[in-house]
Every structure is written in C-alpha cells, then in structure tokens.
Amino acid sequence: MSEVSSDLALAGVQSSTDIDFDERGLQHRHEALAGDMPVVAGAFRAAGYCLEHITCLDLRQVEEVAGFRVDYQFNRIGSPVDRHVVQVKVGETETATSIASVYPGADWYEREVFDMHGVLVDGHPNLKRLLMPEDYRGYPLRKDFLDEDPERHQMSGVVVEAEAAQEDVADGEDEA
Amino acid sequence: MTQPAPTMELVQDPEDRDTYYMNMGPQHPSTHGVLRLRLHLDGERILDVDPVIGYGHRAHEKMAENRDYLQFLPNTSRIDYLSGMIYNLGYCQAIEKAMQIEVPERAEYIRIICGEMNRISSHLLWFGTYLLDLGGITAFLYAFDDREKILDILDSVTGSRLTYNYGRFGGVSMDVDDTFLRSVADFSEYFRKRIEEYHKLVTHNVIFRHRTRGVGVMGADLALDYAVTGPCLRAAGIASDVRKDEPYGIYDRFDFDVVTAEGGDCFARHMVRMGEMEQSLGIIEQAVRDIPEGPVLAPKVPKRIRPPEGEHYFAVEAARGHFGMYIRSDGTDVPVRQKLRTPSFVHVSTMPAVLPGTMLADTVAILGSIDIVIPEIDR
C-alpha cells in the first residue's frame, strides 16, 4: 500500500480498491464526495503527488449513476509510479468543487470539464470555456449532444450560459 | 442569462494609463500555430498573461466516442503531428495492454527504432525553429536538412512523412528490410558528428547564450503545481522519464540515460533536447544491432477490439513529455470516453506562472523553448 492511503481515509475518501497495474495502468481507485476534493487533493499534494489530469465522463446511460463522474488522477513524480484515480459522482444538477487552489494546474482541466460536459465547478477562479468559442452553445462531450445546431455555423455573438435545449439522441454506438 | 460577447479589441482601463493589454497571436510566427496570448504589459514588462487556446480544436475525444478503436488509430498521429509515430505506436500499445495482446519481438524493435527516429526529428524541428524565433536562420537550414533525411527513412517504410499510421494492434503494418536498417545505422553515424557541429554552431554561440540563460525559469516547483513533464521538467533537474519510470514496450532492455540539466531556463531546455537526441541515437544503435528476425504482426489478434470494462491508463514519453490515454471502456467496440492527456496543454497552462515579470521580447524565447505544438494543446 502507498504512504498516502492513511491520509486519504482522514480526508473523506469513502472507499478504495487496488487495481492490477499490469492490466490497467492504475494502482488505486477511490471514491469521494465533490465537497471533499480540496482536502483529498491537499493530502496528495502533501505526500508529493502531482495531478496528472482531470476528466469528466458522461455516465448517464452507462451506469446507474444518473449523472456525470469527474475523475482526478494523481501520480508520484518520477519513479516508482503510484497512480491513484479519485472518482467523484456529480449529478446533473450538482457541482464539482475546484481544487485549483491546491493544484494550479487544475485550473484548465476544470475549465475543460465545464466546457465539454457542462459540469459547473464551485470555487473556480475563472470558470469559462477553454477550447470551444466563448459564444458556443451546448456541451460537446455530452452523450446527448447533437451537432446539428444551425447557429453553430453562424456565430451567435452572444455568450449563452443557460444550457440550450438539447434533443435526446442515442449515443454513437455503431454495432454494424 | 446573456452578456455581451468578448471582442478582439484591446481592453484598456481608462483610469490606468500606465499599463496596457496586447494581443500576441492568434496569428503570430513564433506561436507555430494558432495560439493567442493576452498580455498585460507595463512598458515592456509583462504583468500578467492569459493564454487563449482552442483555435485548432478538432474534437479528437468526441471522434473517439463515435468510432471503434481501430478506426481511431489514424487520428492518433494527427494529435501531435511532429511526433506522430510515438502517439500512433503508443495508442497501439495502450490497446494491446488492455487486450493482453502479445507483440512479436521484431515489431517491438522496429517500434523502438521508428519512435526514437521520430523523437530526433521532432527535436530537430524544435531546434531549427527555435533558433529562427531567436533570429538565427542558419541553424534552421541545417536542422531541416537533417530532419529531411529522417523523414525519407521513415517514409520508405511507413509511406508517410508526418502523419504516420504505421502501428497495428499486435505489431506494425510492414516489415523493414536491410536497406532500412542500414540507412538508419548510416544516419546514426552521420548525425553524431552533426550534433557536435550543432554545439559549435549554437550552444557555444555567445548571442544564443545571452538570449537564453536565466530566461524563462521553470523550476522544479512547477512539477508539483502543474505536473510539467518531458524536457521542461528534466531541464529543472528532475530525472523523470516515462521510458524509465514505467518502461513500456521493451525500453527496459536498452541502456540510456535520462538527460537532465540545472537551472530550468531556456538554455537548460536546449541542452536537455540536444542530450536526448544523442541518447536516442544510442537506443537506435542498440536496436539495430539486436533486432531479431521473425514476424512483425501477432498471429492471433482478436477481430473485435473490446477492452475489458472499466478504466485503463497508458502513458508514453512523447517528444514533449508525458502523453497519457485514459480510456473508459464498457466492453463494446466503442469507448465510452477517451481522454488524451497531452504535455503541451500542461506547459501552456503554466505560462501565467512563468511569464509575469519577464520582458516582452523574451516571450518569444520562452514560448519557443517549451516546444509547443498547437494541435496537441487543442486536440
């Protein structure tokens, strides 16, 4: 077990499992609540871990999560590798919590999560779109995103914060 | 809830007459692509910087969710078109690891040779264009001459110059012949002498040293704050390299050093890349010497590529640093989510921490020295 694990239990991590590194490339998986993330990230930082990436998954159709999941991946700098992924479930109307005050590098990753999945991040210093234009409508990496917005081609010129009405569409699985 | 769209006009606070904002980019020769930096300046000194990215966003991650794993393969080398081979082969290795596919020995050696050749060509392009950024045209012509030789060699076996699609799940698409191996060995011999020449031409150049020493310091603290990787991290004295820390493929069989430098400035990054080219040559020479005969494609690769359900992570050392693929599979042909963790994205995000306090003229020197590739930032 890694040194950081005992700190994590104190930081509010709910459950942890070990994963076979040779198969998955990850050593540990944890589940935490969104509000605990700054403390969890602080425990990793104190143990000398860096934040490899943050990503969001739209699991509304895959698991019975009924929402999104934000995954934070931490790793030790250099060798030996000790990779932890902390998974935070975020319902459709809930928000994630920013860890940009702990890891400045989280700033852009959290903006990307907002940009691509429309998950709001509490306490973020500058939450705006990162990759898509500022006046873009919709959240491209959502499974129900439909790339047929006629206004996409004619820049609306207006920054829309409210989510545009989106049609349900089956996800892009192609069994053919 | 709406608000007026931001405009491209420069924002000037009427109360504050001493500082001003300036756009660098989106169209600027030194950004090597379309990147915009909103600089807040006091005279020629930078107070703050706000990088604006996304001009080259091509939705690779969305594409991955709408096609099966094999169909995504040609996308990989287009993420970073300068070290496309490493990305392409890295993606194959990620899927092979998830699917537990054994790769034949010969294919592993070919991957090493092609990957390291690609790394040299990427560093060469950086070397040439960086000197161009700093105002020296001579080195650019030298570097592109040598880079062309590598592209010709890789072209002869892969059929493409930049956006390779050479990897296959379970090996590589084509076997190499003795002509290829001989030309690689010849190049290696030739290039060792060239590196010495480069040191004479550039490293020992007084103007170059004054332009890069102590400029744009990215210290070891950025590693913890931002997870900076690759040559930028090694220039700060931290010997971290995915090829050593978690050897993928057969990198654990090769004898090479992780090149580091002290200081973390532009000059240190230059020295690290120059040293890495030499180390790559060493790896290539060992691979050419030891490459066995045999097949280059695993005989039994599953027809349907369906990685086991759950999360998979695989990292390779690309020319610019740690390239990671985070794949969430649901056991079908199509991934649920495929996050691409690219090094330049991280490095550009450190600019608000690195640039303030430096001179405007050094922005070009610093931005060039971290070796950004815009399509890799925007994906």
Side-chain angles (χ1 to χ4, degrees), chain A residues 85-156:
Chain A
V85 57
V86 181
Q87 303 180 333
V88 175
K89 283 175 186 159
V90 181
E92 270 187 273
T93 53
E94 293 167 11
T95 57
T97 309
S98 175
I99 60 165
S101 56
V102 184
Y103 286 102
D107 184 332
W108 277 26
Y109 287 125
E110 285 168 357
R111 277 176 66 186
E112 195 186 352
V113 166
F114 163 70
D115 189 5
M116 292 294 161
H117 288 90
V119 173
L120 293 170
V121 185
D122 255 356
H124 190 281
N126 180 27
L127 194 65
K128 57 180 186 183
R129 288 196 179 270
L130 182 69
L131 294 170
M132 305 306 288
E134 283 175 306
D135 57 351
Y136 192 76
R137 309 179 104 195
Y139 303 105
L141 280 180
R142 286 190 172 191
K143 290 288 180 193
D144 53 8
F145 172 77
L146 192 61
D147 186 21
E148 283 172 14
D149 183 356
E151 290 184 45
R152 193 171 75 88
H153 304 288
Q154 36 186 308
M155 291 285 210
S156 64

Side-chain angles (χ1 to χ4, degrees), chain B residues 121-159:
Chain B
S121 83
S122 175
H123 282 349
L124 266 179
L125 186 125
W126 168 80
F127 172 76
T129 53
Y130 186 49
L131 266 292
L132 202 60
D133 289 346
L134 298 179
I137 295 174
T138 317
F140 172 80
L141 300 172
Y142 278 73
F144 268 61
D145 184 19
D146 288 350
R147 178 169 170 269
E148 204 60 34
K149 289 187 170 67
I150 299 178
L151 296 187
D152 283 345
I153 292 171
L154 291 179
D155 187 4
S156 72
V157 63
T158 65

Side-chain angles (χ1 to χ4, degrees), chain A residues 56 63 69 71 83 134, chain B residues 6 246 311 326 328 337:
Chain A
C56 186
E63 284 174 0
R69 202 183 71 205
D71 288 6
R83 204 164 267 138
E134 283 175 306
Chain B
E246 40 176 337
E311 289 81 19
Y326 186 73
R328 170 69 163 85
R337 175 87 170 94

Side-chain angles (χ1 to χ4, degrees), chain B residues 7-249:
Chain B
T7 61
M8 291 291 284
E9 280 169 40
L10 306 180
V11 185
Q12 184 66 54
D13 181 0
E15 297 291 306
D16 180 5
R17 301 179 70 86
D18 293 332
T19 68
Y20 62 105
Y21 287 90
M22 197 179 80
N23 268 321
M24 187 172 147
Q27 303 290 346
H28 190 282
S30 85
T31 57
H32 303 290
V34 201
L35 169 73
R36 176 178 166 214
L37 296 176
R38 284 188 74 229
L39 300 164
H40 186 194
L41 299 168
D42 176 13
E44 289 210 21
R45 196 166 289 279
I46 295 168
L47 297 174
D48 199 10
V49 56
D50 180 20
V52 181
I53 63 168
Y55 294 96
H57 179 57
R58 291 156 299 159
H60 278 302
E61 290 174 8
K62 186 71 180 176
M63 279 192 245
E65 292 177 15
N66 288 297
R67 56 192 65 193
D68 66 35
Y69 293 93
L70 184 62
Q71 286 173 325
F72 186 70
L73 189 56
N75 283 48
T76 50
S77 58
R78 281 142 178 99
I79 298 165
D80 173 0
Y81 55 86
L82 295 180
S83 60
M85 183 72 83
I86 303 174
Y87 279 63
N88 189 242
L89 298 176
Y91 180 69
C92 292
Q93 283 163 326
I95 301 299
E96 282 154 10
K97 184 171 178 179
M99 298 281 294
Q100 304 286 313
I101 300 171
E102 282 278 329
V103 181
E105 282 281 292
R106 188 173 172 86
E108 292 277 25
Y109 276 90
I110 295 172
R111 284 179 176 187
I112 298 278
I113 296 172
C114 291
E116 293 305 318
M117 287 290 271
N118 197 212
R119 190 185 312 276
I120 296 175
S121 83
S122 175
H123 282 349
L124 266 179
L125 186 125
W126 168 80
F127 172 76
T129 53
Y130 186 49
L131 266 292
L132 202 60
D133 289 346
L134 298 179
I137 295 174
T138 317
F140 172 80
L141 300 172
Y142 278 73
F144 268 61
D145 184 19
D146 288 350
R147 178 169 170 269
E148 204 60 34
K149 289 187 170 67
I150 299 178
L151 296 187
D152 283 345
I153 292 171
L154 291 179
D155 187 4
S156 72
V157 63
T158 65
S160 27
R161 278 166 47 84
L162 283 177
T163 49
Y164 310 104
N165 191 22
Y166 185 47
R168 293 289 181 273
F169 301 142
V172 292
S173 68
M174 283 255 280
D175 197 0
V176 300
D177 54 10
D178 288 343
T179 323
F180 172 84
L181 293 176
R182 209 163 35 244
S183 57
V184 169
D186 288 348
F187 174 81
S188 177
E189 198 187 334
Y190 157 84
F191 194 63
R192 276 193 188 278
K193 294 190 197 110
R194 285 290 267 203
I195 291 181
E196 283 170 32
E197 244 176 88
Y198 288 156
H199 280 305
K200 277 185 204 155
L201 181 70
V202 173
T203 313
H204 302 311
N205 183 306
V206 171
I207 303 170
F208 176 75
R209 285 185 173 231
H210 279 292
R211 197 85 167 79
T212 52
R213 274 210 157 151
V215 172
V217 175
M218 294 168 81
D221 53 322
L222 284 182
L224 196 57
D225 282 354
Y226 287 91
V228 168
T229 52
C232 293
L233 178 62
R234 295 192 278 274
I238 299 179
S240 169
D241 187 319
V242 183
R243 291 175 293 172
K244 282 277 189 203
D245 298 342
E246 40 176 337
Y248 52 94

